[in-house]
Amino acid sequence: MGERYALFADFGFHNTGVGWARSHGREPGLAVELAAGTVVQVDQRQLDSFSEPQPSDVGRYEITLDPADRWSYKTPSLRNVALTAPYMHDGSLPTPAAVVDFYDRGGIDNPGRDERIRSLNLSVAEKTALVAFLDSLTGSDVQRLVARARAPWAGGEPAGAASGAQES
Ligand code: HEM
């Protein structure tokens, strides 16, 4: 696979329309997953009624001050992406299927949208295959990585197997 593709990211910044929509009050609200597969869309007016005002966010432009970078965000690694919902920089898309639908629609049209993001008119089979591809990026060592993050002193061993742990 090589270094260039191993992270399944292009290391670039792009305008998909998510940030533009949020800055222009066009966000559809927030998709909240109540249980696996059960998603409710919370209306933006409801969110605004109890949220702090959102600070302005124009993406990479805040660092470069180059107008071409407005509402551009870094492409994240897609490794283990099926385990890291919600998606996009603002967490506005709840599931991999919602992300695939988003790209199928061509993201959100705006003056700076990356020209590679456009309506795809994918078939159901193609969308299903894309979600399966995203699922396939889940590594076989995730449990060990999670165990190591939770208990770094145990070196990624399952609970109870750390040196010094004794059976009673
Ligand atoms: C059908 C094709 C595509 C699929 C299935 C796909 C998949 C994804 C997924 C799953 C995420 C969310 C990652 C996360 O939040 O952890 C993502 C984010 C992103 N993708 Fe794509 N992608 C596609 C096409 C593209 C293209 C063509 C570009 C650039 C021209 C692009 C640029 C980005 C960027 C910049 C983000 C981050 C957006 C943000 O944080 O707001 N993607 N993509």
Side-chain angles (χ1 to χ4, degrees):
M1 182 180 297
E3 278 182 23
R4 191 158 165 219
Y5 300 108
L7 289 181
F8 294 91
D10 68 354
F11 308 101
F13 294 79
H14 308 277
N15 173 336
T16 64
V18 170
W20 179 88
R22 198 154 283 282
S23 290
H24 288 76
R26 307 274 177 89
E27 63 276 70
L30 197 65
V32 179
E33 190 167 26
L34 299 177
T38 306
V39 177
V40 292
Q41 191 74 18
V42 182
D43 187 81
Q44 190 62 39
R45 277 167 305 178
Q46 275 177 300
L47 290 172
D48 291 344
S49 69
F50 57 78
S51 303
E52 290 285 313
Q54 295 296 309
S56 152
D57 178 358
V58 283
R60 186 162 164 73
Y61 172 80
E62 287 179 19
I63 303 300
T64 65
L65 300 183
D66 178 348
D69 288 335
R70 276 187 298 177
W71 300 298
S72 285
Y73 296 85
K74 190 169 187 181
T75 314
S77 167
L78 294 185
R79 277 197 175 269
N80 297 318
V81 71
L83 305 178
T84 58
Y87 302 109
M88 313 315 246
H89 70 276
D90 61 352
S92 56
L93 298 177
T95 59
V99 177
V100 168
D101 273 335
F102 170 83
Y103 283 113
D104 186 41
R105 290 193 299 273
I108 296 169
D109 194 14
N110 75 92
R113 180 179 60 175
D114 191 291
E115 60 191 19
R116 282 158 290 191
I117 298 177
R118 55 192 154 74
S119 291
L120 300 173
N121 296 315
L122 298 173
S123 67
V124 169
E126 287 168 327
K127 291 200 261 188
T128 306
L130 270 174
V131 171
F133 169 69
L134 294 173
D135 280 344
S136 78
L137 301 179
T138 305
S140 55
D141 61 345
V142 171
Q143 290 304 334
R144 189 177 57 80
L145 295 176
V146 170
R148 196 166 66 186
R150 287 204 176 130
W153 49 87
E157 296 299 325
S163 62
Q166 301 285 326
E167 297 259 337
S168 57

